[in-house]
Amino acid sequence: MKHLGVVLLILCLLQEKGIYAAGNEFMRSRGVQFMLNGSPYYGNGFNAYWLMYMASDPSQRNKVSSAFEESKKHGLTIARTWAFSDGGNNPLQYSPASYNEQMFQGLDFVISEARSYGIKIILSLVNNYENFGGKKQYVDWARGEGQSITSDDDFFTNSVVKGYYKNHIKSVLTRKNSINGIAYKDDPTIMAWELMNEPRCTSDPSGRTIQAWITEMASYLKSIDSNHLLEAGLEGFYGESVPQKQQFNPNFQIGTDFIANNQISDIDFATVHSYPDQWLTDANDESQLSFLDNWLNNHIQDAENILKKPILFTEFGKSGKDAGFSTTQRDQMFDTVYSTIYTSARGGGAAAGGMFWQLLTQGMDSFRDGYEIIFRESPSTTSLIALQSQKLIKIRKMYERLKNIERWNRARESGGGNSGN
């Protein structure tokens, strides 16, 4: 029986190593699944764009800690937030290549604190919209240097503007955290980089302009950081590469192509946003839920059959400011998203998780936008969130057990086949 004892000891050590190494592993992708510490990874998550801003004021950092603490209690393991704030009052980037150290230290705190709570972070690098500067600020900077700028969409084509953005990529990726001393590009707390929050280029509805921009910027980012996953930040609208899919779009075109953009080799996984209350404003709740169901399932099928990459539903929500809003309507929306993800995940499919917009903590009334979730104020929605977390964690544990069985078998073989004394 001594060989069996050796096998048990090896297995215990392997399990212990797996448990404690998980937080220090980089997220990977393999086929349609994320991989963490050698096992498929599924996770429930949230958006909190305000983390860096709040953490830049040391007296407000308790709100960041509280958000992570409450999220961990409810099983949330992924957070998406901004690594940008360009121009304007108290930004991260005052002007091209000129940074606000206090704001950067706020981001340092966010990453360090997420690490202590076992939460993975997705960091978005620029905004499509004017909020926090965005592409408009970049083209304004270039215009101020004498560049001929015709529209904000020149962000994607002007060489000077692209140079500014590349500098921001490099500045963020090579930043050395002032709290833990780890360069961002070397920190596995960061799950992935996002090139832009909701890229749109309405001046070129074909999608070719954004296709070229994603290709160039993804290659540049990967030349600096090959450790982390990368996604483009897309909302999921179909384009000209698969015209028969455009029937599933809301009735507008914004210059992106879900299939072609995500087929770029340096893009590791697909993203989808889901706001039927914004996109189908004249439709009733039932019609919006029907659209949502088709929207989710079509993208999962495409991730599995065409892209052959994982997919994250990185934003979804229903606004409390909608006419006739009820918590029941929001819960139905969350349940639709969560059920679809779970059905895919339990079968080993491409849907790896969903991230609601947005999480707030107590005392943040000025950040309310109608979509906010404050756990204490939203007990029914919070229960749905926690249940989804538990279900996805069970799937991860199932895969970990299967992996340990494989380790057990290998350990038995290496320990010798003799079961006698």
Side-chain angles (χ1 to χ4, degrees), residues 325-359:
F325 170 83
S326 71
T327 302
T328 299
Q329 291 175 341
R330 182 176 65 194
D331 290 350
Q332 288 175 333
M333 196 261 190
F334 273 55
D335 186 60
T336 299
V337 174
Y338 284 155
S339 297
T340 305
I341 290 170
Y342 177 70
T343 299
S344 172
R346 71 179 179 185
M355 309 176 72
F356 65 85
W357 183 280
Q358 62 161 329
L359 178 67

PDB file of all heavy atoms in Angstrom, residues 325-359:
ATOM      1  N   PHE A 325     -40.808  50.667 -16.434  1.00  0.00           N
ATOM      2  CA  PHE A 325     -39.822  49.729 -15.880  1.00  0.00           C
ATOM      3  C   PHE A 325     -40.336  49.061 -14.602  1.00  0.00           C
ATOM      4  O   PHE A 325     -40.973  49.699 -13.763  1.00  0.00           O
ATOM      5  CB  PHE A 325     -38.512  50.456 -15.557  1.00  0.00           C
ATOM      6  CG  PHE A 325     -37.534  49.622 -14.760  1.00  0.00           C
ATOM      7  CD1 PHE A 325     -36.703  48.722 -15.403  1.00  0.00           C
ATOM      8  CD2 PHE A 325     -37.469  49.722 -13.374  1.00  0.00           C
ATOM      9  CE1 PHE A 325     -35.804  47.943 -14.682  1.00  0.00           C
ATOM     10  CE2 PHE A 325     -36.578  48.956 -12.642  1.00  0.00           C
ATOM     11  CZ  PHE A 325     -35.745  48.061 -13.302  1.00  0.00           C
ATOM     12  N   SER A 326     -40.011  47.777 -14.490  1.00  0.00           N
ATOM     13  CA  SER A 326     -40.220  47.058 -13.241  1.00  0.00           C
ATOM     14  C   SER A 326     -39.023  46.153 -13.001  1.00  0.00           C
ATOM     15  O   SER A 326     -38.354  45.720 -13.958  1.00  0.00           O
ATOM     16  CB  SER A 326     -41.496  46.217 -13.284  1.00  0.00           C
ATOM     17  OG  SER A 326     -41.335  45.113 -14.153  1.00  0.00           O
ATOM     18  N   THR A 327     -38.756  45.870 -11.750  1.00  0.00           N
ATOM     19  CA  THR A 327     -37.654  44.974 -11.420  1.00  0.00           C
ATOM     20  C   THR A 327     -37.858  43.606 -12.055  1.00  0.00           C
ATOM     21  O   THR A 327     -36.889  42.945 -12.465  1.00  0.00           O
ATOM     22  CB  THR A 327     -37.531  44.833  -9.890  1.00  0.00           C
ATOM     23  OG1 THR A 327     -37.322  46.134  -9.319  1.00  0.00           O
ATOM     24  CG2 THR A 327     -36.359  43.934  -9.514  1.00  0.00           C
ATOM     25  N   THR A 328     -39.104  43.187 -12.171  1.00  0.00           N
ATOM     26  CA  THR A 328     -39.403  41.899 -12.804  1.00  0.00           C
ATOM     27  C   THR A 328     -38.899  41.868 -14.241  1.00  0.00           C
ATOM     28  O   THR A 328     -38.341  40.863 -14.695  1.00  0.00           O
ATOM     29  CB  THR A 328     -40.919  41.628 -12.781  1.00  0.00           C
ATOM     30  OG1 THR A 328     -41.370  41.589 -11.430  1.00  0.00           O
ATOM     31  CG2 THR A 328     -41.253  40.313 -13.472  1.00  0.00           C
ATOM     32  N   GLN A 329     -39.061  42.979 -14.968  1.00  0.00           N
ATOM     33  CA  GLN A 329     -38.573  43.052 -16.350  1.00  0.00           C
ATOM     34  C   GLN A 329     -37.053  42.912 -16.391  1.00  0.00           C
ATOM     35  O   GLN A 329     -36.513  42.195 -17.236  1.00  0.00           O
ATOM     36  CB  GLN A 329     -38.985  44.373 -16.990  1.00  0.00           C
ATOM     37  CG  GLN A 329     -40.472  44.517 -17.255  1.00  0.00           C
ATOM     38  CD  GLN A 329     -40.824  45.897 -17.781  1.00  0.00           C
ATOM     39  OE1 GLN A 329     -40.059  46.854 -17.625  1.00  0.00           O
ATOM     40  NE2 GLN A 329     -41.990  46.003 -18.407  1.00  0.00           N
ATOM     41  N   ARG A 330     -36.381  43.598 -15.499  1.00  0.00           N
ATOM     42  CA  ARG A 330     -34.920  43.494 -15.460  1.00  0.00           C
ATOM     43  C   ARG A 330     -34.500  42.071 -15.118  1.00  0.00           C
ATOM     44  O   ARG A 330     -33.563  41.524 -15.722  1.00  0.00           O
ATOM     45  CB  ARG A 330     -34.327  44.478 -14.447  1.00  0.00           C
ATOM     46  CG  ARG A 330     -32.793  44.448 -14.412  1.00  0.00           C
ATOM     47  CD  ARG A 330     -32.237  45.501 -13.481  1.00  0.00           C
ATOM     48  NE  ARG A 330     -32.621  45.244 -12.091  1.00  0.00           N
ATOM     49  CZ  ARG A 330     -32.504  46.138 -11.109  1.00  0.00           C
ATOM     50  NH1 ARG A 330     -32.046  47.357 -11.383  1.00  0.00           N
ATOM     51  NH2 ARG A 330     -32.871  45.830  -9.890  1.00  0.00           N
ATOM     52  N   ASP A 331     -35.173  41.460 -14.159  1.00  0.00           N
ATOM     53  CA  ASP A 331     -34.823  40.097 -13.774  1.00  0.00           C
ATOM     54  C   ASP A 331     -35.040  39.122 -14.927  1.00  0.00           C
ATOM     55  O   ASP A 331     -34.260  38.175 -15.118  1.00  0.00           O
ATOM     56  CB  ASP A 331     -35.632  39.667 -12.551  1.00  0.00           C
ATOM     57  CG  ASP A 331     -35.207  40.390 -11.273  1.00  0.00           C
ATOM     58  OD1 ASP A 331     -34.161  41.089 -11.305  1.00  0.00           O
ATOM     59  OD2 ASP A 331     -35.903  40.249 -10.251  1.00  0.00           O
ATOM     60  N   GLN A 332     -36.090  39.335 -15.709  1.00  0.00           N
ATOM     61  CA  GLN A 332     -36.313  38.485 -16.877  1.00  0.00           C
ATOM     62  C   GLN A 332     -35.174  38.643 -17.878  1.00  0.00           C
ATOM     63  O   GLN A 332     -34.736  37.661 -18.497  1.00  0.00           O
ATOM     64  CB  GLN A 332     -37.649  38.838 -17.543  1.00  0.00           C
ATOM     65  CG  GLN A 332     -38.878  38.406 -16.760  1.00  0.00           C
ATOM     66  CD  GLN A 332     -40.179  38.876 -17.405  1.00  0.00           C
ATOM     67  OE1 GLN A 332     -40.207  39.887 -18.110  1.00  0.00           O
ATOM     68  NE2 GLN A 332     -41.249  38.137 -17.173  1.00  0.00           N
ATOM     69  N   MET A 333     -34.708  39.871 -18.035  1.00  0.00           N
ATOM     70  CA  MET A 333     -33.607  40.129 -18.951  1.00  0.00           C
ATOM     71  C   MET A 333     -32.331  39.434 -18.465  1.00  0.00           C
ATOM     72  O   MET A 333     -31.647  38.741 -19.229  1.00  0.00           O
ATOM     73  CB  MET A 333     -33.385  41.639 -19.060  1.00  0.00           C
ATOM     74  CG  MET A 333     -32.546  42.043 -20.252  1.00  0.00           C
ATOM     75  SD  MET A 333     -30.830  42.360 -19.868  1.00  0.00           S
ATOM     76  CE  MET A 333     -30.293  43.070 -21.421  1.00  0.00           C
ATOM     77  N   PHE A 334     -32.019  39.586 -17.180  1.00  0.00           N
ATOM     78  CA  PHE A 334     -30.835  38.936 -16.614  1.00  0.00           C
ATOM     79  C   PHE A 334     -30.963  37.417 -16.725  1.00  0.00           C
ATOM     80  O   PHE A 334     -29.991  36.726 -17.071  1.00  0.00           O
ATOM     81  CB  PHE A 334     -30.650  39.351 -15.152  1.00  0.00           C
ATOM     82  CG  PHE A 334     -29.875  40.618 -14.948  1.00  0.00           C
ATOM     83  CD1 PHE A 334     -30.264  41.796 -15.556  1.00  0.00           C
ATOM     84  CD2 PHE A 334     -28.754  40.645 -14.140  1.00  0.00           C
ATOM     85  CE1 PHE A 334     -29.561  42.985 -15.371  1.00  0.00           C
ATOM     86  CE2 PHE A 334     -28.031  41.813 -13.939  1.00  0.00           C
ATOM     87  CZ  PHE A 334     -28.440  42.995 -14.563  1.00  0.00           C
ATOM     88  N   ASP A 335     -32.138  36.900 -16.442  1.00  0.00           N
ATOM     89  CA  ASP A 335     -32.333  35.455 -16.488  1.00  0.00           C
ATOM     90  C   ASP A 335     -32.158  34.921 -17.907  1.00  0.00           C
ATOM     91  O   ASP A 335     -31.591  33.833 -18.107  1.00  0.00           O
ATOM     92  CB  ASP A 335     -33.723  35.094 -15.964  1.00  0.00           C
ATOM     93  CG  ASP A 335     -33.925  33.593 -15.861  1.00  0.00           C
ATOM     94  OD1 ASP A 335     -33.160  32.937 -15.126  1.00  0.00           O
ATOM     95  OD2 ASP A 335     -34.842  33.070 -16.516  1.00  0.00           O
ATOM     96  N   THR A 336     -32.606  35.671 -18.896  1.00  0.00           N
ATOM     97  CA  THR A 336     -32.428  35.261 -20.285  1.00  0.00           C
ATOM     98  C   THR A 336     -30.951  35.172 -20.642  1.00  0.00           C
ATOM     99  O   THR A 336     -30.491  34.195 -21.243  1.00  0.00           O
ATOM    100  CB  THR A 336     -33.135  36.244 -21.240  1.00  0.00           C
ATOM    101  OG1 THR A 336     -34.535  36.254 -20.950  1.00  0.00           O
ATOM    102  CG2 THR A 336     -32.915  35.870 -22.692  1.00  0.00           C
ATOM    103  N   VAL A 337     -30.190  36.193 -20.265  1.00  0.00           N
ATOM    104  CA  VAL A 337     -28.748  36.195 -20.538  1.00  0.00           C
ATOM    105  C   VAL A 337     -28.065  35.051 -19.796  1.00  0.00           C
ATOM    106  O   VAL A 337     -27.296  34.268 -20.388  1.00  0.00           O
ATOM    107  CB  VAL A 337     -28.118  37.548 -20.150  1.00  0.00           C
ATOM    108  CG1 VAL A 337     -26.598  37.498 -20.305  1.00  0.00           C
ATOM    109  CG2 VAL A 337     -28.700  38.681 -20.991  1.00  0.00           C
ATOM    110  N   TYR A 338     -28.351  34.950 -18.514  1.00  0.00           N
ATOM    111  CA  TYR A 338     -27.664  33.950 -17.697  1.00  0.00           C
ATOM    112  C   TYR A 338     -28.018  32.523 -18.116  1.00  0.00           C
ATOM    113  O   TYR A 338     -27.145  31.640 -18.164  1.00  0.00           O
ATOM    114  CB  TYR A 338     -27.997  34.166 -16.230  1.00  0.00           C
ATOM    115  CG  TYR A 338     -27.291  35.336 -15.583  1.00  0.00           C
ATOM    116  CD1 TYR A 338     -27.829  35.970 -14.464  1.00  0.00           C
ATOM    117  CD2 TYR A 338     -26.085  35.815 -16.073  1.00  0.00           C
ATOM    118  CE1 TYR A 338     -27.178  37.040 -13.850  1.00  0.00           C
ATOM    119  CE2 TYR A 338     -25.429  36.884 -15.483  1.00  0.00           C
ATOM    120  CZ  TYR A 338     -25.985  37.494 -14.366  1.00  0.00           C
ATOM    121  OH  TYR A 338     -25.341  38.541 -13.759  1.00  0.00           O
ATOM    122  N   SER A 339     -29.273  32.271 -18.422  1.00  0.00           N
ATOM    123  CA  SER A 339     -29.681  30.924 -18.813  1.00  0.00           C
ATOM    124  C   SER A 339     -29.023  30.500 -20.121  1.00  0.00           C
ATOM    125  O   SER A 339     -28.597  29.349 -20.273  1.00  0.00           O
ATOM    126  CB  SER A 339     -31.210  30.848 -18.957  1.00  0.00           C
ATOM    127  OG  SER A 339     -31.848  31.091 -17.722  1.00  0.00           O
ATOM    128  N   THR A 340     -28.935  31.427 -21.060  1.00  0.00           N
ATOM    129  CA  THR A 340     -28.310  31.127 -22.346  1.00  0.00           C
ATOM    130  C   THR A 340     -26.833  30.826 -22.169  1.00  0.00           C
ATOM    131  O   THR A 340     -26.298  29.881 -22.764  1.00  0.00           O
ATOM    132  CB  THR A 340     -28.507  32.295 -23.323  1.00  0.00           C
ATOM    133  OG1 THR A 340     -29.911  32.595 -23.432  1.00  0.00           O
ATOM    134  CG2 THR A 340     -27.954  31.958 -24.687  1.00  0.00           C
ATOM    135  N   ILE A 341     -26.159  31.631 -21.344  1.00  0.00           N
ATOM    136  CA  ILE A 341     -24.736  31.390 -21.080  1.00  0.00           C
ATOM    137  C   ILE A 341     -24.544  30.039 -20.401  1.00  0.00           C
ATOM    138  O   ILE A 341     -23.669  29.245 -20.797  1.00  0.00           O
ATOM    139  CB  ILE A 341     -24.157  32.519 -20.210  1.00  0.00           C
ATOM    140  CG1 ILE A 341     -24.080  33.824 -21.004  1.00  0.00           C
ATOM    141  CG2 ILE A 341     -22.766  32.140 -19.671  1.00  0.00           C
ATOM    142  CD1 ILE A 341     -23.758  35.046 -20.165  1.00  0.00           C
ATOM    143  N   TYR A 342     -25.363  29.750 -19.414  1.00  0.00           N
ATOM    144  CA  TYR A 342     -25.204  28.501 -18.668  1.00  0.00           C
ATOM    145  C   TYR A 342     -25.444  27.281 -19.554  1.00  0.00           C
ATOM    146  O   TYR A 342     -24.715  26.287 -19.472  1.00  0.00           O
ATOM    147  CB  TYR A 342     -26.148  28.471 -17.472  1.00  0.00           C
ATOM    148  CG  TYR A 342     -26.078  27.175 -16.697  1.00  0.00           C
ATOM    149  CD1 TYR A 342     -24.954  26.853 -15.947  1.00  0.00           C
ATOM    150  CD2 TYR A 342     -27.131  26.261 -16.736  1.00  0.00           C
ATOM    151  CE1 TYR A 342     -24.870  25.655 -15.248  1.00  0.00           C
ATOM    152  CE2 TYR A 342     -27.070  25.067 -16.050  1.00  0.00           C
ATOM    153  CZ  TYR A 342     -25.935  24.770 -15.302  1.00  0.00           C
ATOM    154  OH  TYR A 342     -25.856  23.585 -14.617  1.00  0.00           O
ATOM    155  N   THR A 343     -26.455  27.353 -20.403  1.00  0.00           N
ATOM    156  CA  THR A 343     -26.738  26.240 -21.304  1.00  0.00           C
ATOM    157  C   THR A 343     -25.533  25.942 -22.189  1.00  0.00           C
ATOM    158  O   THR A 343     -25.177  24.776 -22.415  1.00  0.00           O
ATOM    159  CB  THR A 343     -27.972  26.547 -22.172  1.00  0.00           C
ATOM    160  OG1 THR A 343     -29.101  26.736 -21.325  1.00  0.00           O
ATOM    161  CG2 THR A 343     -28.246  25.426 -23.155  1.00  0.00           C
ATOM    162  N   SER A 344     -24.896  26.996 -22.695  1.00  0.00           N
ATOM    163  CA  SER A 344     -23.691  26.814 -23.507  1.00  0.00           C
ATOM    164  C   SER A 344     -22.534  26.276 -22.657  1.00  0.00           C
ATOM    165  O   SER A 344     -21.867  25.313 -23.041  1.00  0.00           O
ATOM    166  CB  SER A 344     -23.292  28.142 -24.149  1.00  0.00           C
ATOM    167  OG  SER A 344     -22.033  28.049 -24.788  1.00  0.00           O
ATOM    168  N   ALA A 345     -22.333  26.886 -21.498  1.00  0.00           N
ATOM    169  CA  ALA A 345     -21.169  26.545 -20.667  1.00  0.00           C
ATOM    170  C   ALA A 345     -21.217  25.100 -20.178  1.00  0.00           C
ATOM    171  O   ALA A 345     -20.200  24.393 -20.191  1.00  0.00           O
ATOM    172  CB  ALA A 345     -21.082  27.498 -19.479  1.00  0.00           C
ATOM    173  N   ARG A 346     -22.379  24.638 -19.765  1.00  0.00           N
ATOM    174  CA  ARG A 346     -22.448  23.285 -19.208  1.00  0.00           C
ATOM    175  C   ARG A 346     -22.205  22.222 -20.273  1.00  0.00           C
ATOM    176  O   ARG A 346     -21.872  21.076 -19.958  1.00  0.00           O
ATOM    177  CB  ARG A 346     -23.801  23.054 -18.543  1.00  0.00           C
ATOM    178  CG  ARG A 346     -24.979  22.924 -19.480  1.00  0.00           C
ATOM    179  CD  ARG A 346     -26.267  22.684 -18.729  1.00  0.00           C
ATOM    180  NE  ARG A 346     -27.410  22.576 -19.623  1.00  0.00           N
ATOM    181  CZ  ARG A 346     -28.659  22.468 -19.209  1.00  0.00           C
ATOM    182  NH1 ARG A 346     -28.919  22.472 -17.916  1.00  0.00           N
ATOM    183  NH2 ARG A 346     -29.638  22.363 -20.082  1.00  0.00           N
ATOM    184  N   GLY A 347     -22.333  22.600 -21.539  1.00  0.00           N
ATOM    185  CA  GLY A 347     -22.017  21.689 -22.629  1.00  0.00           C
ATOM    186  C   GLY A 347     -20.629  21.897 -23.199  1.00  0.00           C
ATOM    187  O   GLY A 347     -20.301  21.345 -24.253  1.00  0.00           O
ATOM    188  N   GLY A 348     -19.812  22.704 -22.498  1.00  0.00           N
ATOM    189  CA  GLY A 348     -18.465  22.977 -22.979  1.00  0.00           C
ATOM    190  C   GLY A 348     -18.422  23.941 -24.138  1.00  0.00           C
ATOM    191  O   GLY A 348     -17.450  23.973 -24.901  1.00  0.00           O
ATOM    192  N   GLY A 349     -19.468  24.755 -24.269  1.00  0.00           N
ATOM    193  CA  GLY A 349     -19.569  25.683 -25.391  1.00  0.00           C
ATOM    194  C   GLY A 349     -18.749  26.939 -25.229  1.00  0.00           C
ATOM    195  O   GLY A 349     -17.973  27.100 -24.282  1.00  0.00           O
ATOM    196  N   ALA A 350     -18.959  27.880 -26.169  1.00  0.00           N
ATOM    197  CA  ALA A 350     -18.106  29.057 -26.266  1.00  0.00           C
ATOM    198  C   ALA A 350     -18.472  30.170 -25.290  1.00  0.00           C
ATOM    199  O   ALA A 350     -17.641  31.032 -24.992  1.00  0.00           O
ATOM    200  CB  ALA A 350     -18.149  29.617 -27.692  1.00  0.00           C
ATOM    201  N   ALA A 351     -19.721  30.184 -24.794  1.00  0.00           N
ATOM    202  CA  ALA A 351     -20.132  31.265 -23.895  1.00  0.00           C
ATOM    203  C   ALA A 351     -19.482  31.081 -22.533  1.00  0.00           C
ATOM    204  O   ALA A 351     -19.785  30.129 -21.809  1.00  0.00           O
ATOM    205  CB  ALA A 351     -21.648  31.295 -23.756  1.00  0.00           C
ATOM    206  N   ALA A 352     -18.581  31.988 -22.198  1.00  0.00           N
ATOM    207  CA  ALA A 352     -17.769  31.820 -20.985  1.00  0.00           C
ATOM    208  C   ALA A 352     -18.259  32.652 -19.816  1.00  0.00           C
ATOM    209  O   ALA A 352     -17.808  32.443 -18.684  1.00  0.00           O
ATOM    210  CB  ALA A 352     -16.311  32.178 -21.276  1.00  0.00           C
ATOM    211  N   GLY A 353     -19.170  33.602 -20.051  1.00  0.00           N
ATOM    212  CA  GLY A 353     -19.650  34.419 -18.950  1.00  0.00           C
ATOM    213  C   GLY A 353     -20.326  35.682 -19.433  1.00  0.00           C
ATOM    214  O   GLY A 353     -20.294  36.011 -20.621  1.00  0.00           O
ATOM    215  N   GLY A 354     -20.946  36.384 -18.489  1.00  0.00           N
ATOM    216  CA  GLY A 354     -21.615  37.644 -18.776  1.00  0.00           C
ATOM    217  C   GLY A 354     -21.268  38.674 -17.720  1.00  0.00           C
ATOM    218  O   GLY A 354     -20.983  38.330 -16.572  1.00  0.00           O
ATOM    219  N   MET A 355     -21.298  39.941 -18.115  1.00  0.00           N
ATOM    220  CA  MET A 355     -20.895  41.033 -17.230  1.00  0.00           C
ATOM    221  C   MET A 355     -21.944  42.132 -17.295  1.00  0.00           C
ATOM    222  O   MET A 355     -22.079  42.817 -18.316  1.00  0.00           O
ATOM    223  CB  MET A 355     -19.515  41.546 -17.653  1.00  0.00           C
ATOM    224  CG  MET A 355     -18.490  40.425 -17.807  1.00  0.00           C
ATOM    225  SD  MET A 355     -16.895  40.981 -18.425  1.00  0.00           S
ATOM    226  CE  MET A 355     -16.298  41.841 -16.984  1.00  0.00           C
ATOM    227  N   PHE A 356     -22.707  42.272 -16.219  1.00  0.00           N
ATOM    228  CA  PHE A 356     -23.780  43.269 -16.234  1.00  0.00           C
ATOM    229  C   PHE A 356     -23.221  44.681 -16.106  1.00  0.00           C
ATOM    230  O   PHE A 356     -22.156  44.917 -15.543  1.00  0.00           O
ATOM    231  CB  PHE A 356     -24.796  42.984 -15.112  1.00  0.00           C
ATOM    232  CG  PHE A 356     -24.265  43.110 -13.709  1.00  0.00           C
ATOM    233  CD1 PHE A 356     -24.219  44.336 -13.062  1.00  0.00           C
ATOM    234  CD2 PHE A 356     -23.817  41.985 -13.025  1.00  0.00           C
ATOM    235  CE1 PHE A 356     -23.740  44.457 -11.770  1.00  0.00           C
ATOM    236  CE2 PHE A 356     -23.326  42.084 -11.724  1.00  0.00           C
ATOM    237  CZ  PHE A 356     -23.286  43.324 -11.094  1.00  0.00           C
ATOM    238  N   TRP A 357     -23.961  45.614 -16.638  1.00  0.00           N
ATOM    239  CA  TRP A 357     -23.670  47.046 -16.503  1.00  0.00           C
ATOM    240  C   TRP A 357     -24.731  47.624 -15.570  1.00  0.00           C
ATOM    241  O   TRP A 357     -25.903  47.509 -15.846  1.00  0.00           O
ATOM    242  CB  TRP A 357     -23.741  47.741 -17.856  1.00  0.00           C
ATOM    243  CG  TRP A 357     -23.373  49.186 -17.772  1.00  0.00           C
ATOM    244  CD1 TRP A 357     -24.159  50.229 -17.363  1.00  0.00           C
ATOM    245  CD2 TRP A 357     -22.092  49.755 -18.069  1.00  0.00           C
ATOM    246  NE1 TRP A 357     -23.471  51.414 -17.395  1.00  0.00           N
ATOM    247  CE2 TRP A 357     -22.187  51.149 -17.827  1.00  0.00           C
ATOM    248  CE3 TRP A 357     -20.873  49.243 -18.508  1.00  0.00           C
ATOM    249  CZ2 TRP A 357     -21.118  52.025 -18.033  1.00  0.00           C
ATOM    250  CZ3 TRP A 357     -19.817  50.108 -18.706  1.00  0.00           C
ATOM    251  CH2 TRP A 357     -19.940  51.479 -18.476  1.00  0.00           C
ATOM    252  N   GLN A 358     -24.302  48.246 -14.525  1.00  0.00           N
ATOM    253  CA  GLN A 358     -22.999  48.380 -13.923  1.00  0.00           C
ATOM    254  C   GLN A 358     -23.136  48.212 -12.406  1.00  0.00           C
ATOM    255  O   GLN A 358     -24.211  48.421 -11.840  1.00  0.00           O
ATOM    256  CB  GLN A 358     -22.427  49.777 -14.222  1.00  0.00           C
ATOM    257  CG  GLN A 358     -23.292  50.894 -13.643  1.00  0.00           C
ATOM    258  CD  GLN A 358     -22.577  52.234 -13.514  1.00  0.00           C
ATOM    259  OE1 GLN A 358     -21.377  52.302 -13.300  1.00  0.00           O
ATOM    260  NE2 GLN A 358     -23.329  53.312 -13.612  1.00  0.00           N
ATOM    261  N   LEU A 359     -22.059  47.854 -11.738  1.00  0.00           N
ATOM    262  CA  LEU A 359     -22.056  47.706 -10.287  1.00  0.00           C
ATOM    263  C   LEU A 359     -21.684  49.021  -9.615  1.00  0.00           C
ATOM    264  O   LEU A 359     -20.695  49.655  -9.986  1.00  0.00           O
ATOM    265  CB  LEU A 359     -21.057  46.634  -9.864  1.00  0.00           C
ATOM    266  CG  LEU A 359     -20.932  46.411  -8.350  1.00  0.00           C
ATOM    267  CD1 LEU A 359     -22.212  45.826  -7.759  1.00  0.00           C
ATOM    268  CD2 LEU A 359     -19.744  45.506  -8.023  1.00  0.00           C
TER     269      LEU A 359
END
